[in-house]
Amino acid sequence: MISGRLQNGLETARQVWSQLPSSDEPESASASAEGEEVFGPRVNGGVESLDYEVIENYAYREEQAKRGRFYVGYSVMVKWFFALLIGIGTGAAAIFINLAVENFSGWKFSLTFSIIQHSYFAGFLVYTLFNLALVMSSVFIVTHFAPAAAGSGIPEIKGYLNGVDAPGILLFRTLIGKIFGSIGSVGGGLALGKEGPLVHTGACIASLLGQGGSTKYHLSSRWLQVFKSDRDRRDLVTCGCAAGVAAAFRAPVGGVLFALEEVTSWWRSQLMWRVFFTSAVVAVVVRSAMNWCKSGKCGHFGSGGFIIWDISGGQDDYSFQELLPMAIIGVIGGLLGALFNQLTLYITYWRRTYLHKKGNRVKIIEVCLVSLITSFISFGLPLLRSCSPCPVMEANSAIECPRPPGTYGNYVNFHCAKDKKEYNDLATIFFNTQDDAIRNLFSAKTIHEYSAQSLLTFLAMFYSLAVVTFGTAVPAGQFVPGIMIGSTYGRLVGMFVVTYYKKLNVEEGTYALLGAASFLGGSMRMTVSLCVIMVEITNNLKLLPLIMLVLLISKAVGDAFNEGLYEEQARLRGIPLLETRPKQYMRNMTAREACRNQKVVYFSRVVKVADVVSVLQSNKHNGFPVVERGHNGEMRVIGLILRSHLLVLLESKTDFQNSPFPCDGSMPIRHNFSDFVKPVSSKGLSIEKIHLTRDDLDMYIDLGPFLNPCPYIVPEDMSLSKVYNLFRQLGLRHIFVVPRASHVIGLITRKDLLMEENEDSATLELQSTSVRAQQPVRRPTYRQGETEHPLLNSLLIQTQH
Amino acid sequence: MISGRLQNGLETARQVWSQLPSSDEPESASASAEGEEVFGPRVNGGVESLDYEVIENYAYREEQAKRGRFYVGYSVMVKWFFALLIGIGTGAAAIFINLAVENFSGWKFSLTFSIIQHSYFAGFLVYTLFNLALVMSSVFIVTHFAPAAAGSGIPEIKGYLNGVDAPGILLFRTLIGKIFGSIGSVGGGLALGKEGPLVHTGACIASLLGQGGSTKYHLSSRWLQVFKSDRDRRDLVTCGCAAGVAAAFRAPVGGVLFALEEVTSWWRSQLMWRVFFTSAVVAVVVRSAMNWCKSGKCGHFGSGGFIIWDISGGQDDYSFQELLPMAIIGVIGGLLGALFNQLTLYITYWRRTYLHKKGNRVKIIEVCLVSLITSFISFGLPLLRSCSPCPVMEANSAIECPRPPGTYGNYVNFHCAKDKKEYNDLATIFFNTQDDAIRNLFSAKTIHEYSAQSLLTFLAMFYSLAVVTFGTAVPAGQFVPGIMIGSTYGRLVGMFVVTYYKKLNVEEGTYALLGAASFLGGSMRMTVSLCVIMVEITNNLKLLPLIMLVLLISKAVGDAFNEGLYEEQARLRGIPLLETRPKQYMRNMTAREACRNQKVVYFSRVVKVADVVSVLQSNKHNGFPVVERGHNGEMRVIGLILRSHLLVLLESKTDFQNSPFPCDGSMPIRHNFSDFVKPVSSKGLSIEKIHLTRDDLDMYIDLGPFLNPCPYIVPEDMSLSKVYNLFRQLGLRHIFVVPRASHVIGLITRKDLLMEENEDSATLELQSTSVRAQQPVRRPTYRQGETEHPLLNSLLIQTQH
């Protein structure tokens, strides 16, 4: 039973409800007449508890009550419309980045190639300066304008979707910094990719749409601000991530699976369809743009900056004997991937602790140094390599050797005799854009193009460059470097297979592909999504079992050493991710032990403002239980009040009152729901910034309308692993630990939650007709039929508690 | 605080623990020394509360304690091994079914074709009798041997994974009935498919593996019985479903998504990888078998019974103008699909209520009648249709007209002049196996093969046949009939597009494909998985956006009328599925109202056997709260005891005791965990079957070791929708509704659950060194680094409660 004063407050609430002029949702208004129902949350169309920091207070319910069925339909429509916009936006961003990168790289390489006809030193100078300029533009944007744009952004997005808001990751400036920073860093030839940043870009676009534009840059629009709950915003960001992957790899299904497997923490099947829609929109946008570019209007883009390798002309089948070398690729991938994670972890840690503390200047110098080294190695090493004679080509082969000037493809003529048919195999992979290099490594019908020596040199150099580049202050993805590294050793293994398994129809390119999959698996530990992405970029379903074999091995090997790249990085950046499963030690702890050292600070229902201020100043708790003394003098916990909501109340002062008793309904609540919405980008209020006069401090606040009346509770001696499951599965922020109950009021079982309309009509009718009124009575004949049905009955009896 | 007598029981428990000779897991044994920890569940490697009917009692914990780390590794290995076996088994079953069906159909059609050269009447007779014999074999198996094998089985599997065990769906006999029944019903030419049954077959194989073989048929093996928890079995069944879809459509990714989207209720990302592995194994098995069959060793199978249509030779691109007819296909699909659901619902209901009650004889007669009608229509209608002259073929076309005798393909010569080049378009789709008919409908480069009249006739006839056939007592899938219906009207629309949009490169086959997608979308309401399956069976990623467009429309249209086919059927069969989201009316109800009419029956900790028997006889409840009086005379709820566990205790009698006080440790628990495992197939014990002597009835049982000490609890006035979320998300069976607490012991927040090893070492050290001992202290340097890290600190402070 609820105590008297609480009952009194509910009375108040009911009076307020009945005063609402615009209450066009009859069930809400009438339901409150029942008394306790007022405390039920009323979130439109949703599983509101699957939400961290849910607003369930009275003001929110009031806001909800104002909204009718029309609003629900409108919000569904807006959700789909936003999914469309996210798809278009992310697709456009991907095309813009690719266009820019390809054109910058194209200019750079064509300029360099034309200069080296005369002087290799001048060529090197131009090449280096071009790279340096691009990289500097990138690092300058990141350090001075959008610091959150550095890195891949995937760990931060993962954290956001897990419930941890890292500051600034979804701002408009981060979006801009990410797009232009990517162009600079990728165009500047660093050992990094643009795929991770594209995921972040998609997430930023989604988040900005969700909050209705950027408030700081006055780009917001009121009619777009439909999504005020964290859950809706998180759903949008999930769509954005999928769109990013779909745009980066042109892999719509892979995008959905990536979002599902890698980034989200809570997944609902309703969301899946919308996410898939977003990905498909991206695919259409990118495809249309690429068709448009085929006409040659996009400068150097024509050759395609998107990673898509159609190796359908390659190896189609595989024999049993090939499984051994493929397994070896898996093992190598696991080892090198785990090593990569470990090295980057050490270096990032060292960099953060010693280097980046010294300010932006150091960051800029560091990136410039890395760029100089990269330019030096990628230009210098091919120079040292002697050229090989071109192989004899088949008559109708599309591949030329050496490739004609100004085109893209295998067999690069670099520092070779001009009249002889020669090519430089190291330049083919090193002195090239990474996308082209990958295409060259994956290429079929080019057996023995590379010497083992060149591949090994490239592997060692590029691996080191990738490790050093990781963690610098530029936007950086790890997909493309991973694919580069993996395909190099994959191709190496493929060369040995070609040499020793002579009679098989083996393509080195297939092994390169498997190598790429193995390294990504060993480093990022993605599984299904990576498989599907690999299949989609190669457009060859037949390789799926092989890719899967390689991934199984490399992930298992990698897991023996450390965690995945994103998890390691998230931990290093201090993003405390809640994993799906409780830790082992939690089995041996109880809920009480988990909160042993806490001093619980209570509020009573009506509190003095001065008390609130002093409590908020004296501790950092984010939530406080609210108690009330009942008729019989016993204390009752009546709910939870959030620090942020208290701060809103203190700042606005509108709900201060003189009397120390619960408000009696004569004063309707003055706040509307949007006051309590947590801002996405800013840090929110703090107690220090709120100024109250002495008069204010002497007044009271009735917390009744603002508290969350029913947070989830657990008994004190529940195992902590069960508590963890509750917390994690429902996405909670606070759980009350309470003493064991003295008695049980009832047991809720499946049957109690499956009451059908007809079955419970008798009981419901007695109590409230208003609740019944809203339930559509569909197919009464069948309902009748079911109650007669023996199987149903027996099942219901079985599941009866 | 836990009361004194409970403390006493824990003392007992500790003594028992210390007596365990084989306790090779030190942390469990020592943890119990702390007292309360004994009540923490100890399930190996898992989220045990994500489980309905979890066994958390003492006997289970004892069993767990006996298992060491070796066991965990072993069980992981077994899980993967089982995934492999499920893949191989399902793949083999699919191949067997396809081989048999294709061969039976092949014999049937070649025999009929050779007879009709002489007499059409004799041909009709042979054709009809052949069909009738096959169909009768199927219905005989189902009615007399495996009644649970009727229908597609997907609603039942969905129910099983949602927590409802329909009797007999996962038995060995059901598996056998499903396989042979499918062969008969599909080979017999009924308007149904073998894809749904394959999903059920996969699930059966998985479940039988999970329980270590069939106990009834003495095929069980002890070393296979690793999976005793419901969750593990459910995971295996999920793998089996994915394997079924992968085998049916040769679509491994589609299989995973189908399992994820359509059948499971709880999904964990760890499971995904294993499910994907299973699907890939299926793909490899099926592919190898088909390669083997290419050499002609499989009789009539060579032409391929698997639905896979490579329409890569077809339409590659689409223009903007085509979107309108495609949208129309979507609308038609939604309307016809919803109508299909509604009609089948009515007919199934009518059939169950009036027809099937009358026994097996009626069922057999019904199926025979349907078979006769089907034979009559599929043979008779093409006879009435006049033949069309063959079109002029391109020189190098692979398609011949009319097709040569004994082959498969388009342009069937049926009742046409023998020397003229003529074909019968209605026979091409009607007088054929369904797989071939679909291939013919999807075929490219065959513009104007069918007349609109033939297609309309076929659509009307086949639609009616499919509706009538649905719900008969044979194994029946709805995928193939759906594809047939959909592709017919799709091809019709395509014909109009070809005629009116003259200049476009339009293929009627593409429209047929879209039509198939639209009908399946309109009827089954699958989204992502259907998209991916369609893409995988056509092996053409470029059509993805079109398929998605059509599905979006058809699902939206269908949803306006009714629920999806599986949901409707599940409801009709009395399978009470818990949906993901709470119903609208739950927002206005509290937990107390949901269990208003319940009379809670308590047990005290030590109960008289006679009392237990009388309580179990007097009601049907499945769970009972157990209370105990503490030192100060106050009652405490100390846990939940399940009816099934009480029955096990009553039957075995080993734990009866003479004293009415908690047992004192001198008697170790005699039950082992496996006694409490719920049998998968049988109905379990019932109170009526347990015979107790008068002496037995006078004894006592101490329930302490057998109860679940901490079921989840909710306060009485929590909104029912929040309760629903708790129940549904965690997969619970029972929730205690308790009064509001008088005080809060603590608040659990993210920070309390993210305690890292170093941070909490101080507090933990004080209390228990044993708990610490098991925690691996990894990377101490980084831990140290993290605690210094400012971002981490600020985040932790932010998330502090």
Side-chain angles (χ1 to χ4, degrees), chain A residues 588-597 716, chain B residues 36-37 767:
Chain A
N588 303 315
M589 287 180 72
T590 64
R592 191 182 42 230
E593 287 165 18
C595 49
R596 197 184 314 113
N597 297 325
E716 51 178 340
Chain B
E36 295 86 20
E37 283 90 348
Q767 209 229 359

Side-chain angles (χ1 to χ4, degrees), chain B residues 291-512:
Chain B
N291 277 344
W292 188 75
C293 279
K294 270 186 192 156
S295 54
K297 290 172 196 147
C298 305
H300 289 270
F301 180 72
S303 54
F306 283 95
I307 329 184
I308 196 154
W309 304 284
D310 200 336
I311 58 165
S312 47
Q315 187 175 356
D316 230 6
D317 215 332
Y318 46 91
S319 64
F320 199 70
Q321 309 161 53
E322 288 182 72
L323 292 183
L324 179 68
M326 287 168 182
I328 292 173
I329 287 180
V331 174
I332 300 176
L335 292 174
L336 287 184
L339 182 68
F340 185 83
N341 292 3
Q342 206 61 38
L343 288 177
T344 50
L345 191 70
Y346 279 115
I347 291 184
T348 314
Y349 175 67
W350 175 82
R351 194 174 255 148
R352 281 170 169 266
T353 323
Y354 300 106
L355 219 58
H356 286 184
K357 275 184 180 164
K358 291 177 187 158
N360 284 337
R361 191 184 298 269
V362 175
K363 287 185 189 173
I364 295 176
I365 294 173
E366 180 194 21
V367 176
C368 291
L369 269 179
V370 171
S371 167
L372 286 177
I373 296 171
T374 309
S375 301
F376 187 75
I377 290 179
S378 63
F379 194 97
L381 279 185
L383 274 186
L384 299 178
R385 171 89 194 142
S386 57
C387 292
S388 328
C390 280
V392 183
M393 284 289 163
E394 289 173 35
N396 56 353
S397 168
I399 303 167
E400 280 186 76
C401 177
R403 71 172 195 204
T407 61
Y408 302 85
N410 298 57
Y411 300 113
V412 173
N413 181 330
F414 181 79
H415 202 230
C416 300
K418 270 171 207 162
D419 25 353
K420 269 191 269 182
K421 288 215 157 198
E422 279 187 342
Y423 73 100
N424 186 327
D425 65 342
L426 201 51
T428 305
I429 40 181
F430 232 144
F431 195 64
N432 223 330
T433 64
Q434 290 174 17
D435 289 334
D436 284 326
I438 293 173
R439 242 182 302 251
N440 293 344
L441 281 169
F442 277 22
S443 61
K445 320 270 179 219
T446 51
I447 283 177
H448 300 309
E449 178 176 357
Y450 308 99
S451 67
Q453 197 194 344
S454 294
L455 288 179
L456 275 176
T457 314
F458 179 76
L459 179 60
M461 283 298 154
F462 196 84
Y463 194 92
S464 317
L465 283 177
V467 168
V468 172
T469 314
F470 184 96
T472 50
V474 286
Q478 263 59 59
F479 273 104
V480 163
I483 293 176
M484 292 279 272
I485 294 168
S487 51
T488 312
Y489 66 76
R491 185 118 192 166
L492 258 174
V493 173
M495 282 173 58
F496 284 102
V497 175
V498 168
T499 314
Y500 293 105
Y501 289 50
K502 281 179 184 152
K503 289 187 187 164
L504 301 169
N505 167 30
V506 172
E507 278 289 351
E508 291 173 5
T510 310
Y511 283 81

Side-chain angles (χ1 to χ4, degrees), chain A residues 621-622 722 750 798 801, chain B residues 162 621-622 710 722 798 801:
Chain A
H621 295 189
N622 274 328
K722 285 181 84 168
R750 180 176 282 254
Q798 271 184 27
H801 69 95
Chain B
N162 194 272
H621 294 189
N622 275 327
C710 271
K722 284 181 86 169
Q798 269 183 32
H801 70 94

